[in-house]
Amino acid sequence: MIFGSYEAFRAANFKPRVCILGSGPAGTTIARKLGAAGVPVVVLEAGSREFSDESQDFYRGTTVGDPYFDLDITRLRFMGGSSNHWAGWCRVLDKQDFEPKAWAPDTGWPISRADIEPFLPEVHDILELPDFRPDVPISDDIRWVQLIKSPAVRFGEKFADELDKSSNIAVVLNTYATELAGDGKRVTGARLWSNGQDAGSFTADYFIVCTGGLENSRLLLWSNQRSNGGVVPNATALGRYWMEHPTFEGGNAILADYGEFDVDAVNEAFFSPTLSAMERLQIMNFGIRLIETPYAGVKHVIADLACTAPDMAEWVANKLSQNLRCAAQLYVAWEQAPLASNQIELSKTDVDHAGVPRIELHWKKSALERRTILEGLRLFGATLIDKNLGRVRLIDWLANGEDYPTNEETAGHHHMGGTRMGTDVTRSVVDSNCKVHGMDNLYVGGSSVFCTSGQANPTTTITALACRLGEHLSKILAV
């Protein structure tokens, strides 16, 4: 059942046991799992079925620190959430991403990759993915990895008919949970704003916050402030350890034979470091995206090398007689270490139309992030030399120690952390089952529970964690 307003939903007299806030990949996946188990659930979606400027305005905010996207541009507020602008790139976090790293404080998850693997067949069905191929070692330091570009599933479109016909799931559009009320042990209700006006309060046995990797923290911070700590009783880490995937062009390469690497449908290949290489260099995980340059671009790269890297140019010249004609751009997206100082705060001066403080995002890349891209590209270049596969030239800003450019991708639009998973209540917000520490009936879904970001796009892991949470709650609630 899909309703256009809270008033229409209330008139239907549907009695849910679970209230999910948000209809993105996490919220929709959990709702489908619960509905299939016979658990009545309502999904409150702040937006409508379609994009609107009025709805997006609720997402306006400010960023303090490094340049970042406008906050009302980097996510979407309508049915299906930010899956509506997802490019479709899929990969699950690596096994090593779940493990603590001695050189990076506050890394490590309370669960392992093995805890989500049973749900991957279901994830593949949801995201319309083929099976992933195993990683292929290129050297002791670098491995070929597979990213799969799915059809970029729009959750609000793919599952609309199923949700509308469901007798166990109600989706209520244009209905914004502005705050939760709690007594320090349970959420006792939610305050709602529907179609531009106060819609009163709503109660359910369980609440699951799935409003996104920025909004989850915003809602819980505001709710906790309004309830004097009654919603997140252990709030030291709330809003903190927020992460992105910095994403920049890092250089280019001349290759002896582009056919040495398996490429996808658009002639791109992907590479990541081994755990031993990360340990030796004390860097974070990274992904290098190797994009073939048309032949005309090869001549430009070779001419440039003759002036700036004569040793490399000599290798190129020797290979010309072997039909060398392949060049590639190297784009790098990499893991940002979790830092408590990267955090979501509530604005002290600006509120949205419902009176909720807007977000003030504090985000800054650290020296570890800079070392990761620099040493990661050097490691990739050393592997190509060792295997006589090619040569790498770092881009000027990186080789010369200059500031990050401001005219590139900047980051992946991947919002992770803020309500991270863990066992230490001073460094985490939810436990291994995504339940808020100290609360009996409050859970969080989505990438805000990520402890570390790895180098992989988050949607695949978000969906796997949502399947896991949905099954966990189904076992508790199914009759």
Side-chain angles (χ1 to χ4, degrees):
M1 298 170 282
I2 299 178
F3 301 91
S5 69
Y6 180 64
E7 183 179 10
F9 163 73
R10 189 169 53 185
N13 204 32
F14 180 72
K15 302 295 183 184
R17 294 195 64 194
V18 178
C19 177
I20 298 174
L21 308 179
S23 67
T28 296
T29 299
I30 296 167
R32 294 178 66 242
K33 291 282 284 189
L34 291 172
V39 178
V41 55
V42 61
V43 179
L44 303 182
E45 168 53 51
S48 65
R49 283 192 184 237
E50 305 292 339
F51 174 92
S52 75
D53 291 333
E54 180 182 3
S55 184
Q56 284 298 118
D57 185 75
F58 281 82
Y59 278 171
R60 278 197 297 109
T62 58
T63 301
V64 178
D66 286 351
Y68 193 61
F69 309 110
D70 290 343
L71 298 188
D72 57 332
I73 299 298
T74 191
R75 58 242 170 88
L76 292 174
R77 193 177 186 266
F78 63 102
M79 187 172 171
S82 292
S83 73
N84 288 296
H85 66 187
W86 178 43
W89 290 110
C90 293
R91 180 175 172 84
V92 188
L93 287 178
D94 295 328
K95 176 182 177 181
Q96 64 197 34
D97 294 328
F98 291 87
E99 299 170 358
K101 296 169 180 62
W103 64 95
D106 296 319
T107 51
W109 293 54
I111 63 173
S112 68
R113 164 71 182 260
D115 290 304
I116 64 172
E117 285 179 350
F119 303 98
L120 295 185
E122 189 173 356
V123 171
H124 282 223
D125 180 60
I126 293 169
L127 299 181
E128 302 176 18
L129 300 175
D131 291 336
F132 283 90
R133 294 173 52 193
D135 299 345
V136 178
I138 303 300
S139 69
D140 291 339
D141 295 329
I142 294 291
R143 58 207 167 97
W144 174 93
V145 299
Q146 187 180 30
L147 269 73
I148 297 176
K149 195 167 186 180
S150 84
V153 171
R154 310 303 185 208
F155 279 68
E157 297 176 6
K158 178 173 180 177
F159 298 110
D161 287 345
E162 176 187 330
L163 295 171
D164 200 21
K165 294 174 183 176
S166 174
S167 60
N168 290 324
I169 303 171
V171 178
V172 186
L173 302 175
N174 305 300
T175 302
Y176 170 28
T178 58
E179 66 181 87
L180 301 175
D183 59 12
K185 292 185 178 179
R186 296 182 61 83
V187 171
T188 57
R191 193 76 188 177
L192 304 184
W193 177 274
S194 184
N195 286 313
Q197 61 185 1
D198 188 339
S201 59
F202 174 78
T203 61
D205 294 338
Y206 290 83
F207 286 84
I208 310 173
V209 179
C210 300
T211 56
L214 287 164
E215 291 297 307
N216 282 356
S217 292
R218 180 193 185 196
L219 172 61
L220 294 177
L221 284 165
W222 179 234
S223 300
N224 222 35
Q225 182 175 314
R226 295 276 289 173
S227 64
N228 295 314
V231 173
V232 185
N234 302 288
T236 304
L238 179 58
R240 296 184 178 272
Y241 302 100
W242 192 83
M243 301 166 289
E244 247 280 13
H245 285 136
T247 306
F248 291 89
E249 183 178 3
N252 47 48
I254 295 290
L255 303 172
D257 183 358
Y258 203 85
E260 286 283 345
F261 307 120
D262 286 332
V263 297
D264 61 16
V266 292
N267 263 7
E268 297 179 0
F270 303 87
F271 304 88
S272 285
T274 61
L275 179 57
S276 61
M278 293 167 59
E279 290 175 337
R280 186 178 76 252
L281 296 173
Q282 297 198 335
I283 60 176
M284 305 303 288
N285 205 350
F286 62 84
I288 291 178
R289 180 182 178 189
L290 189 148
I291 305 174
E292 187 175 17
T293 303
Y295 181 57
V298 180
K299 295 180 179 179
H300 174 77
V301 172
I302 293 173
D304 185 48
L305 289 174
C307 297
T308 60
D311 290 343
M312 184 172 171
E314 182 179 356
W315 178 86
V316 169
N318 290 336
K319 287 290 183 180
L320 282 173
S321 61
Q322 301 173 26
N323 297 317
L324 176 76
R325 66 176 197 87
C326 298
Q329 294 172 290
L330 302 176
Y331 283 86
V332 189
W334 68 101
E335 180 178 17
Q336 183 173 28
L339 295 175
S341 57
N342 284 330
Q343 63 180 311
I344 296 159
E345 294 184 356
L346 299 177
S347 172
K348 295 179 176 58
T349 59
D350 197 8
V351 299
D352 66 21
H353 298 298
V356 179
R358 296 188 186 275
I359 286 174
E360 185 177 278
L361 175 64
H362 294 252
W363 183 62
K364 196 170 184 62
K365 298 181 287 296
S366 73
L368 181 53
E369 276 85 71
R370 182 72 174 220
R371 187 165 81 243
T372 295
I373 182 176
L374 180 59
E375 295 302 327
L377 283 165
R378 286 173 174 168
L379 191 71
F380 183 64
T383 290
L384 294 189
I385 291 173
D386 182 60
K387 300 298 181 180
N388 202 31
L389 295 172
R391 298 294 187 270
V392 167
R393 178 184 178 275
L394 297 180
I395 202 164
D396 289 344
W397 69 264
L398 187 57
N400 298 334
E402 299 169 4
D403 288 342
Y404 290 93
T406 58
N407 60 345
E408 291 194 20
E409 288 184 66
T410 301
H413 298 280
H414 302 156
H415 310 147
M416 300 163 286
T419 67
R420 70 197 311 253
M421 185 186 294
T423 56
D424 183 345
V425 298
T426 67
R427 291 182 171 86
S428 62
V429 176
V430 303
D431 66 15
S432 59
N433 289 316
C434 298
K435 185 168 73 70
V436 172
H437 294 309
M439 299 294 283
D440 295 334
N441 68 339
L442 178 59
Y443 292 78
V444 180
S447 52
S448 69
V449 308
F450 283 23
C451 304
T452 52
S453 64
Q455 62 86 13
N457 300 51
T459 302
T460 315
T461 305
I462 289 171
T463 308
L465 288 170
C467 289
R468 181 174 179 266
L469 176 53
E471 181 162 305
H472 171 74
L473 286 172
S474 295
K475 290 176 179 178
I476 295 174
L477 298 173
V479 294

